[in-house]
Amino acid sequence: METIVKKRIKQVLKGDQDAYAEVVEIYKDKVFQICYRMLGNRHEAEDIAQEAFLRAYVNIASFNIDLKFSTWLYRIATNLCIDRIRKKKPDYYLDAEVAGTDGLNMYSHIASDARLPEDDVESLELQETIQREISKLPEKYRSVIVLKYIEELSLNEISETLDLPLGTVKTRIHRGREALRNQLRYV
Amino acid sequence: MKCPAEMVVYMHEYLDEEISAEHEKELRAHLQNCGECQTHFHELKKTIALVQSTSHIQAPENFTANVMAKLPKEKRKVGVQRWFRHHPLLTAASLFLVLMMGSVASSWDQDHQLSVSKQPNLVVQNDKVIVPEGEVVKGDVVVKNGDLEIQGEIEGNVTVINGQQYMASAGKVTGEIEEVDAIFEWLWYHIKTAAKDAVNVFETGETDKEK
């Protein structure tokens, strides 16, 4: 996998844009997933995931070809997500529940009967609860938990991706796990 | 009973798969005796399982296409090179066409002088070729880059390239009259004559055999 990616990246470095499409195709689900779990919102996640690929393309020359591309790409994605979380102003998203209603979100205010097929799968209550609890974590715990349990990276990879000492990663994972345990123990 | 504080640390070490054999033994021994820690440990494992169960969502449709559309424009050179690589046949064909056009254009450029087929009784005046009154020209007449005025008689075909032919009332042509003006007609004329020649070669070949 990494060898194909590296080959494509060399082509991209030579200026061949089409080779990048294959790289995007390989990593799109993973990057989208990081963004979705970090941000808890599909529209924002798509926005940031696209931005991450765009940044990676523009800065591809600064990527050290001897390192793992995924690590570099995930770092860009997580950093963008953290930036977005910090900048987030109280804003209205269609996904957000409308206050005082039970399970009604802004989608129900839009006259449209076309629901996305993904929504049906995701409307499972449990999934929503878990995502909500992940979204409630402070971003420094959220990023390590997402990388560890959703992207299934090793502790060393997380430390590289986030540019943090291994000890810090461990501490954050422990605290993140405890925080989630408190929220999810009665689910 | 107050549990030793390191038990929770050991649990996390266990979950990170970094626990030493010694710590694991201690943890196991403690868990067997302490219901509270057992619950805690169980809840942690359950939490992880729950978080892991949410994975596997997919990027929206057209994600790649949307990303590609947002990328800055690539250098033109590369695009052209790739096009050539992907369309070798078209490349060859266009190269052939360019060379062909080049040779045609150069041969067209070369002969802008007046030239006439060689019949002794044709009269050339400046850019004009005249078939004098009362004269009979035998064979096909070809005039290039000039006009042809027919006052007498031509026994054969007339071709005027890049010029015009004027027929006097007394003039007479037994064969076909053809005028060629533009480069494409000239080209077409060439192709036709080549084809005609080829057909002639075959026909004479066949008649030769019959004889």
Side-chain angles (χ1 to χ4, degrees), chain B residues 149-165:
Chain B
E149 200 173 318
I150 307 163
Q151 293 165 356
E153 197 176 318
I154 296 173
E155 284 185 353
N157 298 331
V158 171
T159 308
V160 182
I161 297 160
N162 232 9
Q164 281 181 304
Q165 57 90 18

Side-chain angles (χ1 to χ4, degrees), chain A residues 152-182:
Chain A
E152 292 170 336
L153 298 191
S154 72
L155 294 177
N156 276 319
E157 283 172 318
I158 297 171
S159 140
E160 271 174 49
T161 304
L162 298 176
D163 206 11
L164 289 172
L166 191 58
T168 312
V169 172
K170 280 188 199 169
T171 314
R172 288 187 181 180
I173 287 183
H174 297 182
R175 294 199 180 142
R177 271 199 296 243
E178 287 296 341
L180 278 177
R181 180 186 75 95
N182 275 326

Side-chain angles (χ1 to χ4, degrees), chain B residues 60-81:
Chain B
E61 268 179 73
N62 301 325
F63 183 86
T64 305
N66 290 340
V67 170
M68 295 310 286
K70 280 188 183 173
L71 295 186
K73 283 267 188 301
E74 69 181 353
K75 287 177 205 132
R76 213 184 161 76
K77 200 183 97 200
V78 181
V80 171
Q81 278 174 356

Side-chain angles (χ1 to χ4, degrees), chain A residues 16-17 25 33 37 181, chain B residues 43 54 57 64 70 72 82:
Chain A
D16 187 348
Q17 206 167 59
E25 200 59 37
Q33 189 149 271
R37 296 304 174 198
R181 180 186 75 95
Chain B
E43 283 168 359
T54 62
I57 58 162
T64 305
K70 280 188 183 173
R82 189 178 46 239

Side-chain angles (χ1 to χ4, degrees), chain A residues 36-83:
Chain A
Y36 180 65
R37 296 304 174 198
M38 287 291 285
L39 300 166
N41 173 302
R42 273 190 159 267
H43 306 282
E44 269 192 295
E46 186 175 359
D47 205 30
I48 296 293
Q50 285 189 2
E51 178 69 18
F53 280 111
L54 199 63
R55 293 251 178 131
Y57 178 83
V58 173
N59 298 306
I60 196 92
S62 72
F63 167 65
N64 182 347
I65 199 94
D66 299 325
L67 299 179
K68 238 179 145 182
F69 180 71
S70 55
T71 307
W72 188 69
L73 182 64
Y74 295 167
R75 180 192 297 193
I76 294 174
T78 37
N79 284 343
L80 283 172
C81 287
I82 290 170
D83 280 354

